Amino acid sequence: MALLDYFLRKKEKQVTTASKAKERLQIIVAHERNNRNKQPDYLPQLTEDILNVLRKYIHVSDKSLSVNLDKKDGDLNVLELNIELHDENNAS
Amino acid sequence: MENTRSMARIIVVTSGKGGVGKTTSSAAIGIGLALKGHKVVLIDFDIGLRNLDLIMGCERRVVYDFVNVINGEATLNQALIKDKRVSSLSVLPASQTRDKDALNKENVGKVLEELGKTFDYILCDSPAGIEAGAMMALYYADEAIVTTNPEVSSVRDSDRILGMLSSRSRRAELGLDPIKEHLLLTRYSPKRVEEGEMLSVEDVKDILAIPLLGVIPESEAVLKASNAGEPVILDTESDAGKAYQDVIDRLLGETVDFRFLVAEKKGILSRIFGG
């Protein structure tokens, strides 16, 4: 029987369970990573609005503001604003 | 704090999923590093479910534990168990009965800082899961050995732990260099991989995308080792023992070829007659 199996196995190049496992894992892991790094949908608009407010008072470029929402321990979320000011701004 | 911290390498052995070989690996790697002449302390972070002591064969020598030290009921020196085989290795056992909220960032940090004055390597054997105990074990880590079986649930859980390492650790919170991640693939069966029944090393590397530290073959030696309380790396004739030895060399910066990745070839007779 083993001899028969040996020759038969050569022929059938079917999808192995290992390749199914890999495919399923790639999909679910990519999906879960996406959720992990996901920033809320409102963040780009929020960034734009804050920039507009800032521009009423000082000169800032688009790149001088970064906005991040971080999940800390438990239920704590931290909204982090980082505004980079250049010397010319301080002068005015 | 940053400056007073010693140069000890803090390594967490973690996985997310239970039963994949964290404690077996911690014990083997602890012994292996100590045999190379390094001062090593192995900490069992599995508060309430102590097991590292059994795998290390020192269960009858436990007097005080990690939580006793945290609560000030014992000094570190009283709680540390010096290994009888390798004198540069000590074990800090987990408590068996106390509640798991005993540990927090502050008191664990103090214990690690104290240990860092004496030891070169601090190996933290993490509990399974992603609860407080596992978070404590990884919080102070400089490096992480992500123990994974070539099996869907283990790989997925390992990926979740990788997410925790990069967001919930001290290094992440302080914006320091990220934790150095290592993949340790355990219970690997080359034969089943060749038959298409098991994820291959390459498959798991593709999915998790972290550097490979070692591949430990599925081996009868592992159960024998835990039966005897003699970490499997001491079984120098066994395939698993040799594979862990390679892990040690790689941790110490050497480049070592991976062994035990292909099944032993069957003879022509067994091919024809089966078995």
Side-chain angles (χ1 to χ4, degrees):
Chain A
M1 284 314 277
L3 187 63
L4 200 60
D5 288 345
Y6 181 75
F7 287 114
L8 282 178
R9 199 163 45 195
K10 293 269 160 178
K11 293 266 166 86
E12 46 174 321
K13 200 63 189 165
Q14 69 201 49
V15 182
T16 62
T17 55
S19 55
K20 269 187 206 162
K22 184 179 186 185
E23 196 187 320
R24 291 171 60 217
L25 271 169
Q26 278 173 326
I27 294 167
I28 191 67
V29 163
H31 178 76
E32 286 173 351
R33 277 183 197 160
N34 244 337
N35 286 344
R36 221 151 54 206
N37 304 325
K38 198 174 176 187
Q39 295 284 335
D41 299 337
Y42 61 75
L43 222 54
Q45 189 57 51
L46 177 69
T47 309
E48 194 54 42
D49 289 351
I50 293 174
L51 273 173
N52 286 333
V53 173
L54 286 172
R55 282 190 184 121
K56 285 187 184 171
Y57 305 93
I58 47 178
H59 175 75
V60 283
S61 70
D62 286 357
K63 284 179 183 162
S64 54
L65 174 68
S66 70
V67 180
N68 269 309
L69 188 66
D70 267 342
K71 283 198 169 57
K72 298 283 182 191
D73 283 350
D75 301 329
L76 184 65
N77 285 344
V78 175
L79 183 66
E80 184 184 77
L81 300 183
N82 218 326
I83 309 162
E84 207 173 294
L85 296 180
H86 299 284
D87 284 344
E88 49 179 333
N89 297 322
N90 297 340
S92 62
Chain B
M1 184 87 176
E2 184 60 19
N3 292 331
T4 56
R5 189 167 288 280
S6 65
M7 293 309 290
R9 274 167 83 176
I10 303 179
I11 306 177
V12 60
V13 180
T14 184
S15 70
K17 190 173 182 299
V20 298
K22 284 183 296 298
T23 302
T24 298
S25 299
S26 300
I29 293 168
I31 293 257
L33 287 171
L35 282 172
K36 291 276 186 182
H38 299 288
K39 290 182 189 154
V40 183
V41 59
L42 269 170
I43 307 179
D44 190 348
F45 270 83
D46 205 345
I47 304 302
L49 286 172
R50 160 161 94 208
N51 271 323
L52 183 63
D53 56 335
L54 264 182
I55 302 300
M56 291 297 293
C58 64
E59 70 278 7
R60 295 182 59 186
R61 296 170 61 211
V62 177
V63 183
Y64 294 109
D65 58 55
F66 198 179
V67 174
N68 290 137
V69 174
I70 295 276
N71 292 342
E73 295 153 359
T75 64
L76 256 180
N77 276 332
Q78 287 175 303
L80 287 174
I81 304 170
K82 203 169 234 195
D83 191 87
K84 289 213 163 144
R85 297 152 296 215
V86 199
S87 63
S88 60
L89 175 68
S90 293
V91 175
L92 182 57
S95 66
Q96 187 66 297
T97 53
R98 309 301 183 86
D99 89 293
K100 41 175 82 178
D101 299 326
L103 305 185
N104 61 46
K105 281 175 194 169
E106 285 69 36
N107 57 32
V108 170
K110 275 186 198 157
V111 171
L112 293 184
E113 205 180 324
E114 193 63 32
L115 289 169
K117 292 176 188 165
T118 318
F119 294 96
D120 306 321
Y121 287 88
I122 300 175
L123 279 180
C124 305
D125 183 19
S126 173
I130 52 171
E131 301 304 311
M135 290 305 113
M136 266 343 311
L138 68 77
Y139 185 74
Y140 287 99
D142 301 310
E143 298 179 43
I145 296 176
V146 181
T147 313
T148 308
N149 290 167
E151 178 271 326
V152 286
S153 53
S154 175
V155 175
R156 179 199 213 171
D157 291 356
S158 290
D159 191 68
R160 294 217 48 199
I161 281 293
L162 289 172
M164 302 288 175
L165 291 170
S166 60
S167 65
R168 302 280 293 274
S169 62
R170 169 179 162 274
R171 284 178 170 271
E173 283 183 4
L174 299 184
L176 304 173
D177 288 341
I179 291 177
K180 191 173 173 191
E181 300 154 338
H182 307 276
L183 173 62
L184 180 63
L185 201 56
T186 53
R187 308 200 66 169
Y188 193 69
S189 171
K191 182 168 172 286
R192 302 197 72 184
V193 171
E194 280 165 28
E195 285 164 0
E197 294 175 4
M198 183 181 269
L199 291 164
S200 69
V201 181
E202 294 306 320
D203 291 340
V204 181
K205 268 173 67 183
D206 277 357
I207 295 160
L208 295 179
I210 59 173
L212 184 64
L213 176 67
V215 180
I216 312 298
E218 173 82 65
S219 167
E220 291 177 4
V222 172
L223 180 58
K224 286 189 204 162
S226 58
N227 286 343
E230 295 277 333
V232 70
I233 198 168
L234 293 168
D235 185 352
T236 52
E237 295 301 304
S238 68
D239 46 1
K242 289 174 184 166
Y244 276 115
Q245 193 54 60
D246 292 351
V247 166
I248 300 301
D249 292 337
R250 290 188 199 106
L251 269 179
L252 296 175
E254 286 176 44
T255 307
V256 185
D257 285 343
F258 289 91
R259 296 190 270 181
F260 314 111
L261 298 188
V262 282
E264 280 176 36
K265 288 280 170 279
K266 277 185 174 183
I268 182 76
L269 286 179
S270 61
R271 270 178 185 260
I272 294 174
F273 297 110

